[in-house]
Amino acid sequence: MDEPMDRNAQSSSTAPSMEQVLTDYAAMRDEMTSALARALGERAWRESPNSPGPRRSRIGGADPAAEQVGLVTWSFEGTYPADTWHGAARLVAEVGRAYGFTDGGVTVDRPGDLEIFGVDALGGRYTFGMATNTILTLRTGPLRWEHPPEPAGPQT
Amino acid sequence: MATLSQVRSWQPEALGLLADTMVQRRRTLVALQDEIDDGAPPPTWAADSAVAAAASHTALREDLADLVAEVAQVAAALDTAADALTRAHGELDEAASVAGANGFTVSATGRVTDARDALTDAQEIADRRAVRDEIVDRIEQALRNADHADASLAAALRSAARGVDGGTATLAQAAATGTTGGQREVLPPPPGGSDHDQNSWWEGLTEAEQAEVIGEHPEWIGNVDGIPAWARDEANRALIGDYRSDLTDRLAAAREAGDDGLARTLTEKLDGLDAVEDTLELGNRHLLLLDITGTDQLMAAIAYGDVDTADHVAVFTPGFTTTVAGSMAGYDNQMADLVEQSAAQAEKYGDGGTVAAVAWLGYEAPQWDNVLDPGSSVATRGPAEAGAGNLAAFYNGLDAARDSDPHLTALGHSYGSLTTGLALQEQTGVDDAILYGSPGIGTSHVEDLDVPDGHVYRLEARRDAVADVGALGPFGIDPSHLDGITGLSTEAGSVGGNSYGESVGHNDYLTEGSMSQHNMASIIAGAPEQTVEGDTRGFGDILSWPLPWTY
């Protein structure tokens, strides 16, 4: 794999662009699902039909031009075998750490319901959860685009 | 006006077949263009008879053009009438479906009767009256639409019978002239109509007519409750440029006149337009309200997600110091976060619902500048009362614009919870209400709210002083002491394996990963069983404890 950037080591003045971080996150997501596939078998990951789509937001604050992007949630129907859930969560967290995410914590851990999350130094966050189905969500912290996307037209 | 049974007897399919036949005739006639051109006297014909031949040919060509225009006009009018009557029948079917599903009957004359009798519960009587009114409104508007289709077709046929000038150009152009003449005039939305009237009016328009309204009369529908979100959005976006020009011109005039106060207001409104455009350009948003006519502020509402189709819809109303210019970006972000999280949870737990949320800044929220003004001060109910009617209509319009009602949640924060509480004292389709950081909800009795029992929630964070000041104002008692309202936790905790952070102060209720955000997202997503109940009470709640006989 390409060497992931260590975002924790960067100061805000040298913060990477949104494009760089999204590329990095996409690679991390691929690597998370690949690691899970190697250990626990292939699953039919796809964009969640419930997901509202990639979400852009401006959150104001110190840098009004900064945006936050939520990627489309990835999911597959069903889960891994219940006795492998904690192992699956460890694999995801391990890949996350390689991309500069620290283990944020466990949101839920009870029979039939497990969810963990990780955060990076730029305010990014992933969650990996399993209950009826399995989800992997990713969103960035506030970042600037190098080349802002064209303004969106009316929603269709 | 035509009766229900008359309109039911009209056959749009027959009109459609007739329109198809006339279109074929029109095409046959237009195809004679080459023949008529070839029949023109040759320019080399120089005898006196050539003049007479040319005159005869011109008369023939013009007569043919008139005929083409007449046929085209009739074809277009028949086609439009067929479409409009099909839509009117669809609206009548929809009204009959709503009636049947709710235990009402509709007679052949259009009379709507409640099949249930001996109702005694006042709330149930009010609810059933609202359903009956909806059915009646839909039937009346469908009949008006059918009447308009009938009158327009009759006018087009009479006009064709009198003769249509096809002009002196080509037969294709004559056909275009006739087709334009066959279009009916689009009537504006019914003035003063209910949200169901407006929706039935809109659904009665052909697609071409809807596009015409958005393109030529966006001001007719942009802020009209009952019109689908996509149409309101397109209309309001189309108006932004005009509004900007208008405000800019007025700002220049105000500066020239030395009116600094007005100039500040207009500048703030222009800044608000910037904030609206900045938010819209992020995509996946609908501009459901844009109003520059406020005394002091721009008003706007932006939805994240599609409120026309989402299973769960939330409407958030903020409070004191809120402006479109200063607050829209932050609230839009909070709504997008809520939607994203609710959707991810729906996917994980397999309940599959889609979610949309609206940041409704549709009233002039009180500001520091007005704090001493009795009419618009945060210490009074004035601004909330002024906004509550519009908010209630907005809730109702979301339902009216759809075939099936969504699970609708009202969110009110701070002074916005007073506006929300007052709105909910009107008849609305709100299923759940969440009032947080609330100084009062406009009543001391939760049963005054038109929300199902057990579906009103409150949240109060530690050190949220605003949530304790209600007892000092005319807002009703502190919601912490209301009977029948469910308290949700804002504290850090781990319940059933869930770990969430605490919210502290007045503005942290929607912080990501907090217990309060989790609780609100669970209610919005229709999963109250995943909430954590709680009852944060501080010293302020002791001070605000009401004496039982005082309310």
Side-chain angles (χ1 to χ4, degrees):
Chain A
M1 81 179 180
D2 294 336
E3 191 63 28
M5 75 179 62
D6 183 359
R7 286 182 297 281
N8 292 326
Q10 301 187 37
S11 68
S12 59
S13 60
T14 59
S17 68
M18 180 67 81
E19 288 90 335
Q20 288 172 292
V21 169
L22 290 177
T23 302
D24 213 22
Y25 280 14
M28 179 176 79
R29 185 173 58 188
D30 287 344
E31 199 167 329
M32 285 173 170
T33 55
S34 297
L36 290 166
R38 282 194 299 276
L40 301 169
E42 289 284 352
R43 293 293 190 275
W45 287 94
R46 85 295 197 223
E47 293 186 350
S48 164
N50 286 329
S51 177
R55 185 260 294 182
R56 294 171 58 198
S57 294
R58 291 206 180 90
I59 57 175
D63 185 357
E67 285 186 22
Q68 196 174 55
V69 171
L71 279 67
V72 177
T73 297
W74 271 25
S75 67
F76 69 81
E77 286 186 35
T79 64
Y80 298 107
D83 60 352
T84 67
W85 281 14
H86 288 99
R90 276 194 300 275
L91 279 175
V92 168
E94 194 175 305
V95 175
R97 281 194 294 276
Y99 279 81
F101 279 81
T102 57
D103 299 352
V106 177
T107 310
V108 188
D109 186 1
R110 59 186 170 189
D113 194 356
L114 175 67
E115 187 169 308
I116 64 163
F117 68 98
V119 293
D120 71 10
L122 297 172
R125 179 182 174 107
Y126 73 76
T127 61
F128 173 66
M130 289 167 285
T132 304
N133 300 314
T134 305
I135 59 164
L136 179 56
T137 74
L138 271 167
R139 69 142 179 75
T140 72
L143 297 165
R144 282 189 174 217
W145 293 92
E146 192 174 342
H147 302 290
E150 287 293 311
Q155 183 179 338
T156 54
Chain B
M1 189 161 71
T3 64
L4 178 65
S5 55
Q6 278 177 320
V7 172
R8 280 290 194 194
S9 72
W10 293 349
Q11 298 173 36
E13 305 83 6
L15 290 177
L17 288 173
L18 203 51
D20 292 344
T21 303
M22 295 301 280
V23 167
Q24 284 300 329
R25 297 281 190 276
R26 188 198 70 204
R27 286 181 182 147
T28 301
L29 291 171
V30 170
L32 293 174
Q33 181 72 57
D34 289 344
E35 216 167 315
I36 202 88
D37 289 345
D38 291 345
T44 52
W45 187 1
D48 285 349
S49 56
V51 176
S56 175
H57 179 267
T58 299
L60 177 64
R61 182 169 51 77
E62 290 180 357
D63 285 350
L64 187 55
D66 291 350
L67 181 60
V68 167
E70 288 161 15
V71 170
Q73 178 166 309
V74 171
L78 285 166
D79 190 48
T80 302
D83 194 349
L85 289 178
T86 300
R87 287 167 176 272
H89 280 187
E91 281 298 296
L92 291 175
D93 291 343
E94 172 71 17
S97 169
V98 172
N102 289 281
F104 290 86
T105 57
V106 181
S107 74
T109 60
R111 181 181 171 79
V112 179
T113 308
D114 193 342
R116 296 184 198 166
D117 51 13
L119 296 175
T120 53
D121 181 72
Q123 184 61 52
E124 191 178 9
I125 290 170
D127 288 346
R128 293 195 66 74
R129 188 173 296 142
V131 175
R132 182 186 176 280
D133 289 347
E134 172 187 344
I135 298 164
V136 170
D137 285 347
R138 285 193 180 278
I139 291 172
E140 286 178 349
Q141 188 57 42
L143 297 183
R144 277 195 290 271
N145 291 343
D147 244 5
H148 181 46
D150 179 42
S152 300
L153 176 59
L157 293 176
R158 278 195 294 271
S159 160
R162 285 194 299 271
V164 179
D165 183 1
T168 57
T170 64
L171 296 179
Q173 282 167 314
T177 301
T179 299
T180 302
Q183 307 299 323
R184 61 179 183 167
E185 180 195 1
V186 177
L187 295 179
S194 71
D195 44 18
H196 294 291
D197 282 328
Q198 308 296 354
N199 182 256
S200 295
W201 164 78
W202 177 257
E203 296 301 334
L205 300 178
T206 66
E207 283 186 22
E209 289 170 338
Q210 291 177 350
E212 182 184 331
V213 169
I214 292 170
E216 296 179 23
H217 305 288
E219 74 283 359
W220 283 3
I221 62 166
N223 297 337
V224 174
D225 298 310
I227 303 297
W230 68 267
R232 292 176 70 160
D233 175 59
E234 287 190 23
N236 282 325
R237 286 176 194 250
L239 288 165
I240 291 175
D242 290 346
Y243 288 164
R244 188 180 295 285
S245 298
D246 179 29
L247 292 170
T248 303
D249 290 347
R250 286 160 54 195
L251 175 60
R255 282 178 174 154
E256 200 168 308
D259 189 339
D260 294 339
L262 180 57
R264 267 196 308 277
T265 297
L266 294 166
T267 301
E268 172 84 10
K269 288 183 178 181
L270 282 164
D271 290 345
L273 286 183
D274 290 343
V276 166
E277 287 196 301
D278 286 349
T279 303
L280 293 178
E281 75 173 37
L282 300 172
N284 202 19
R285 268 90 171 165
H286 279 145
L287 180 55
L288 300 182
L289 172 70
L290 187 63
D291 186 349
I292 64 169
T293 64
T295 307
D296 297 316
Q297 295 171 41
L298 180 73
M299 293 176 275
I302 294 180
Y304 180 75
D306 189 349
V307 298
D308 286 340
T309 60
D311 300 298
H312 308 282
V313 175
V315 178
F316 165 68
T317 304
F320 184 43
T321 71
T322 297
T323 64
V324 173
S327 316
M328 182 57 87
Y331 290 136
D332 169 78
N333 180 51
Q334 289 180 348
M335 293 304 102
D337 239 5
L338 267 180
V339 169
E340 196 171 73
Q341 299 224 356
S342 300
Q345 293 303 308
E347 177 72 7
K348 181 180 157 194
Y349 292 107
D351 39 19
T354 51
V355 186
V358 183
W360 189 85
L361 281 64
Y363 78 120
E364 297 193 82
Q367 306 291 319
W368 282 113
D369 290 352
N370 310 113
V371 83
L372 298 176
D373 177 350
S376 53
S377 169
V378 68
T380 71
R381 292 162 59 118
E385 285 174 341
N390 289 339
L391 179 57
F394 186 80
Y395 295 142
N396 283 321
L398 293 175
D399 281 344
R402 301 166 46 125
D403 290 339
S404 60
D405 288 355
H407 167 240
L408 183 57
T409 302
L411 301 171
H413 177 230
S414 189
Y415 188 87
S417 68
L418 174 63
T419 311
T420 304
L422 292 170
L424 292 176
Q425 292 176 45
E426 299 186 26
Q427 190 88 34
T428 72
V430 168
D431 302 293
D432 284 292
I434 304 173
L435 307 158
Y436 58 105
S438 174
I441 61 172
T443 177
S444 300
H445 306 281
V446 75
E447 57 270 26
D448 289 342
L449 307 187
D450 181 42
V451 178
D453 288 349
H455 288 261
V456 182
Y457 303 89
R458 68 165 188 88
L459 294 93
E460 179 178 333
R462 189 164 56 90
R463 288 195 225 140
D464 181 353
V466 175
D468 294 326
V469 300
L472 306 176
F475 303 158
I477 63 171
D478 182 340
S480 297
H481 308 305
L482 277 173
D483 290 331
I485 192 168
T486 304
L488 297 177
S489 174
T490 60
E491 298 173 2
S494 176
V495 178
N498 298 269
S499 302
Y500 299 103
E502 182 185 20
S503 299
V504 179
H506 189 56
N507 293 314
D508 281 344
Y509 290 92
L510 285 167
T511 298
E512 189 173 9
S514 66
M515 181 71 84
S516 58
Q517 191 212 35
H518 161 78
N519 281 332
M520 287 193 240
S522 297
I523 297 296
I524 290 167
E529 70 280 2
Q530 291 180 25
T531 60
V532 179
E533 293 189 11
D535 193 18
T536 308
R537 287 176 192 268
F539 185 61
D541 291 297
I542 298 171
L543 291 178
S544 66
W545 208 292
L547 299 171
W549 61 87
T550 61
Y551 66 95

